[in-house]
């Protein structure tokens, strides 16, 4: 059982993401699952601190999900007060990503203060898409919407502000 081999992790609520001064530490107990206990986060190494969203997603999938910082920023506490004011003017739509990735993008938008829109329209500031192809890309270009990949949002989360689109453009379609 992976649960018994997994290190203890500090679980931080959305309100505590900045400093995680007090959180829940889940300590594996052989044959009994996980026991929550209060503990100051300074007792848990930075590399082992995760968010309540990580716990929720791990429980929903009945596995312990990896929580590498760069690949899953919603799984790790960010070093900024949330929401981030610079993201409050961002209104994005994600297309051509699997439902799990879209859910993570939506969740990260909520944390950062960006607005996730279910449709692409002139209200959007950004379209997140892995490949520059299809009717949504054509519409975004027509409307002057910035077109970037999902890593743009991830990188911005770690920098504390939306980044320039250069380097985050979707690959051009080959077919």
């Amino acid at each position: 059982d992976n649960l018994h081999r997994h290190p203890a992790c500090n679980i931080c609520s959305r309100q505590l993401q900045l400093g995680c001064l007090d959180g829940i530490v889940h300590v594996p107990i052989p044959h009994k699952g996980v026991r929550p206990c209060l503990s100051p986060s300074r007792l848990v190494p930075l590399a082992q601190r995760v968010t309540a969203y990580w716990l929720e997603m791990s429980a929903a999938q009945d596995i312990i999900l990896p929580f590498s910082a760069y690949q899953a920023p919603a799984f790790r506490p960010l070093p900024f007060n949330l929401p981030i004011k610079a993201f409050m003017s961002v209104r994005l739509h994600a297309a051509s990503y699997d439902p799990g990735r879209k859910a993570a993008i939506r969740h990260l938008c909520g944390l950062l203060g960006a607005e996730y829109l279910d449709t692409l329209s002139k209200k959007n500031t950004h379209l997140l898409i892995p490949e520059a192809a299809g009717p949504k890309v054509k519409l975004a270009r027509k409307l002057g919407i910035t077109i970037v990949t999902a890593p743009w949002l991830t990188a911005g989360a770690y920098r504390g502000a939306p980044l320039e689109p250069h380097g985050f453009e979707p690959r051009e379609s080959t077919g």
Side-chain angles (χ1 to χ4, degrees):
D1 184 352
N2 283 339
L3 182 62
H4 303 297
R5 290 189 303 272
H6 195 71
C9 296
N10 195 39
I11 308 300
C12 305
S13 72
R14 181 175 182 193
Q15 293 77 19
L16 296 175
Q17 287 223 359
L18 173 62
C20 298
L21 299 177
D22 289 303
I24 298 173
V25 176
H26 284 75
V27 181
I29 300 173
H31 309 294
K32 292 191 180 193
V34 175
R35 174 182 56 132
C37 61
L38 292 177
S39 173
S41 67
R42 69 182 178 280
L43 299 178
V44 178
L46 286 172
Q48 293 180 353
R49 294 179 190 176
V50 298
T51 64
Y53 184 66
W54 171 83
L55 180 62
E56 181 184 329
M57 294 295 100
S58 291
Q61 296 181 37
D62 200 27
I63 61 170
I64 294 183
L65 294 169
F67 51 88
S68 91
Y70 196 76
Q71 293 177 353
F75 288 176
R76 303 295 303 276
L78 294 170
F80 308 105
N81 284 316
L82 299 175
I84 299 171
K85 191 172 188 171
F87 275 99
M88 292 184 175
S89 62
V90 173
R91 293 175 310 280
L92 63 82
H93 174 72
S96 300
Y97 288 106
D98 66 72
R101 184 81 182 258
K102 282 185 181 180
I105 290 168
R106 179 187 294 271
H107 180 79
L108 187 55
C109 284
L111 290 176
L112 297 175
E115 184 178 359
Y116 184 92
L117 301 171
D118 289 321
T119 58
L120 183 64
S121 72
K122 64 183 179 181
K123 294 179 183 179
N124 293 85
T125 59
H126 294 78
L127 169 63
L128 273 61
I129 194 162
E131 188 173 274
K136 289 190 178 186
V137 170
K138 288 178 185 172
L139 178 59
R141 286 180 175 151
K142 179 180 175 184
L143 297 174
I145 295 169
T146 302
I147 304 168
V148 291
T149 57
W152 172 85
L153 186 63
T154 301
Y158 285 109
R159 295 292 294 276
L163 303 177
E164 292 297 318
H166 179 71
F168 297 99
E169 298 92 351
R171 66 183 179 273
E172 291 297 323
S173 175
T174 58

